[in-house]
Amino acid sequence: MAQDKKKILSDHKQVGKKLLPPFLNSFPRQLYDSPYLCKVLPEIIWQGFLNDKYGIKNSVDITLYLLHAIHEATKLEKGKLFCFISNYEILDEKHIDKIRSRLFFNNNYKKFLEAIQPFISVFPECPLRKIFYNKIPEYSKKDLQYVKNITKKLLNNDSKETTLILANTFYFANQMGVLHLTKDSCLLNMDEVINYPDTGESKKIASFLRASINPFVGNDIYIYQNSMWSKYFWNRAYQLEPFNVDNLYFS
């Protein structure tokens, strides 16, 4: 029995007392201790796929259109910002029908679906799936590798890719009336954020973004705190391996 177990886990990497499956075995050690990785990353990761496919400016336009359409269709309280995945759990069937009917023929919506389809295929229970009108295909090896590539870029909260997403998140919150930031707030200085990490000012802004996002995401006013999404996200990642060893890290 011990030999069978050793064989099953032979593709895992030992990190301290934990066994790391192939999906994660090249990821940095801070994965296990960072509030950013446990809570923030699962909420904002989908923006990475839009940025990768369409670039920052187009992704902002697509996302803002989506956010406005959702709020107009649902009439939910403004505090809940739908660039956070967990908030999609609170949408009921009536909300979904209104959102889909409002978005169905819109090109921004089609671009959104196309960009995140590989992510939803790999994580089929993602709450964002609710606003898909078509059947989600099974993930391919290409989908899995693409999702891993995007995820790796976002694992560090001080990477350029993460910094741009954090900046976008605060910009969306301001545009949607969720947060009221002054025009001269460094959190809205997108022109300078794009220069990160090559200027001192951009580094300062990035530091503010990192310091501000955790209490923002941890507030029930802005994001549904009873969501199971973050736990599912990491458990699913751990299960994406040839030998299906369930729940090595979460009970």
Side-chain angles (χ1 to χ4, degrees):
M1 181 71 176
Q3 287 184 342
D4 290 341
K5 185 176 181 181
K6 184 176 180 180
K7 182 179 180 182
I8 289 174
L9 298 177
S10 64
D11 61 338
H12 287 58
K13 180 180 179 181
Q14 183 85 31
V15 180
K17 295 182 179 179
K18 296 175 180 177
L19 289 169
L20 191 62
F23 184 83
L24 300 173
N25 63 20
S26 62
F27 291 175
R29 176 66 184 272
Q30 71 249 36
L31 171 65
Y32 313 110
D33 306 308
S34 168
Y36 163 74
L37 287 164
C38 290
K39 183 63 177 176
V40 179
L41 174 62
E43 301 295 344
I44 64 174
I45 187 172
W46 67 277
Q47 294 184 52
F49 296 90
L50 266 71
N51 289 349
D52 182 71
K53 190 171 184 65
Y54 303 119
I56 298 298
K57 185 180 184 303
N58 289 332
S59 294
V60 167
D61 292 341
I62 292 168
T63 302
L64 270 179
Y65 184 90
L66 182 73
L67 297 181
H68 281 295
I70 290 172
H71 279 290
E72 289 170 7
T74 62
K75 306 299 183 183
L76 291 170
E77 63 270 27
K78 280 191 173 182
K80 293 294 187 291
L81 187 61
F82 285 89
C83 62
F84 297 134
I85 289 179
S86 286
N87 285 337
Y88 288 81
E89 287 190 19
I90 68 178
L91 299 177
D92 60 27
E93 287 301 318
K94 290 183 179 179
H95 293 145
I96 298 303
D97 288 343
K98 289 180 180 179
I99 291 169
R100 287 174 178 169
S101 62
R102 186 178 290 269
L103 291 174
F104 190 79
F105 294 107
N106 184 265
N107 196 45
N108 285 317
Y109 177 52
K110 293 176 182 177
K111 288 180 178 179
F112 162 77
L113 297 181
E114 184 178 346
I116 69 165
Q117 180 266 305
F119 176 65
I120 303 300
S121 290
V122 173
F123 294 91
E125 294 182 30
C126 176
L128 272 174
R129 181 173 184 159
K130 286 186 175 185
I131 61 173
F132 274 70
Y133 61 85
N134 56 332
K135 184 178 180 180
I136 307 298
E138 294 287 331
Y139 74 86
S140 64
K141 288 184 179 180
K142 183 179 179 181
D143 289 334
L144 181 58
Q145 188 57 52
Y146 179 56
V147 171
K148 289 170 67 174
N149 290 343
I150 296 295
T151 303
K152 286 181 181 180
K153 293 177 182 179
L154 301 177
L155 284 172
N156 291 320
N157 68 351
D158 60 354
S159 71
K160 181 163 187 170
E161 291 82 3
T162 299
T163 300
L164 290 171
I165 292 178
L166 294 179
N168 285 349
T169 299
F170 281 100
Y171 176 73
F172 297 144
N174 186 67
Q175 290 296 107
M176 296 299 298
V178 173
L179 289 179
H180 298 285
L181 303 173
T182 61
K183 288 184 179 180
D184 57 352
S185 171
C186 71
L187 296 178
L188 296 180
N189 192 354
M190 296 294 292
D191 290 338
E192 187 59 39
V193 172
I194 292 173
N195 295 323
Y196 180 81
D198 298 325
T199 67
E201 183 63 22
S202 67
K203 290 180 180 179
K204 179 181 177 182
I205 295 170
S207 179
F208 274 115
L209 291 168
R210 291 192 294 270
S212 301
I213 193 63
N214 285 333
F216 185 36
V217 170
N219 193 322
D220 193 55
I221 293 175
Y222 307 117
I223 185 170
Y224 178 52
Q225 296 297 306
N226 291 326
S227 170
M228 296 299 292
W229 162 241
S230 294
K231 185 173 181 179
Y232 164 75
F233 173 78
W234 286 117
N235 271 333
R236 173 65 174 163
Y238 301 145
Q239 292 169 5
L240 291 170
E241 52 182 304
F243 305 102
N244 191 12
V245 182
D246 293 330
N247 300 323
L248 289 174
Y249 308 96
F250 291 99
S251 58

